[in-house]
Amino acid sequence: MILYYSILPDKIIQQRGFTLIEIIVALLVISVALGAIITTTANSIKHGAHIKEKTIALWAAQNYIAETVISSKAKKKWPATGIKLDTMELAGNTWFLKSELKQTPDTNIRRLDVSVYSDKKTENKLVSLTTYILKPQKNNQGK
């Protein structure tokens, strides 16, 4: 800060203030700091939305697996092996699921792989889950 003295007739006035260069430097420092804060905030929002999407996709896969296992037990019949494409509505979004049921070396167990996609073309895989399904037991009551 520079002090200026002005001598006017009958008065001495002391003026204080910042120079133009000091103000420009201060604004430059503030703009760089604000730029960094805005960039960090934008990245946090972007990553938060991605995590939310992946979490809901995980729930969709878990729901699909639960439905498959419960249906298998209720019908006392295994679902057919092979690849199946399906959709699910969850949290206001449509999720595209691709499931593959495979035989394992153990004849009493089958492997179910479920992948969840955000697009119908199944190009953008969000999550993938694998579970094993036991062969449903026949009810021997009444014999």
Side-chain angles (χ1 to χ4, degrees):
M1 185 175 339
I2 300 174
L3 298 175
Y4 294 98
Y5 295 98
S6 174
I7 302 175
L8 296 177
D10 301 317
K11 291 185 179 180
I12 296 178
I13 300 174
Q14 184 179 10
Q15 296 179 350
R16 293 178 164 212
F18 293 100
T19 64
L20 182 59
I21 292 176
E22 289 172 328
I23 292 172
I24 290 173
V25 169
L27 288 175
L28 180 67
V29 169
I30 290 171
S31 66
V32 168
L34 287 176
I37 290 170
I38 290 170
T39 302
T40 302
T41 303
N43 284 338
S44 294
I45 291 169
K46 177 182 162 188
H47 291 295
H50 182 68
I51 289 170
K52 177 183 175 184
E53 183 181 43
K54 286 185 77 95
T55 300
I56 296 171
L58 179 64
W59 293 343
Q62 290 171 336
N63 286 350
Y64 184 84
I65 288 171
E67 289 173 3
T68 303
V69 170
I70 290 169
S71 173
S72 170
K73 287 181 180 180
K75 295 177 183 177
K76 302 211 183 301
K77 177 181 157 190
W78 271 358
T81 58
I83 297 174
K84 182 179 175 187
L85 299 175
D86 206 349
T87 60
M88 179 182 288
E89 294 291 326
L90 185 63
N93 291 327
T94 301
W95 303 98
F96 300 92
L97 296 99
K98 181 179 179 182
S99 64
E100 184 173 5
L101 193 64
K102 302 175 191 175
Q103 185 63 48
T104 63
D106 185 338
T107 58
N108 292 316
I109 299 175
R110 287 192 180 166
R111 176 183 168 152
L112 176 61
D113 297 312
V114 178
S115 298
V116 181
Y117 300 86
S118 61
D119 59 333
K120 193 171 189 173
K121 296 178 184 177
T122 63
E123 294 174 350
N124 183 22
K125 185 191 297 186
L126 296 170
V127 295
S128 190
L129 283 180
T130 299
T131 192
Y132 293 89
I133 302 174
L134 291 174
K135 184 175 186 176
Q137 299 298 317
K138 301 288 183 187
N139 192 352
N140 293 331
Q141 293 177 347
K143 278 191 171 184

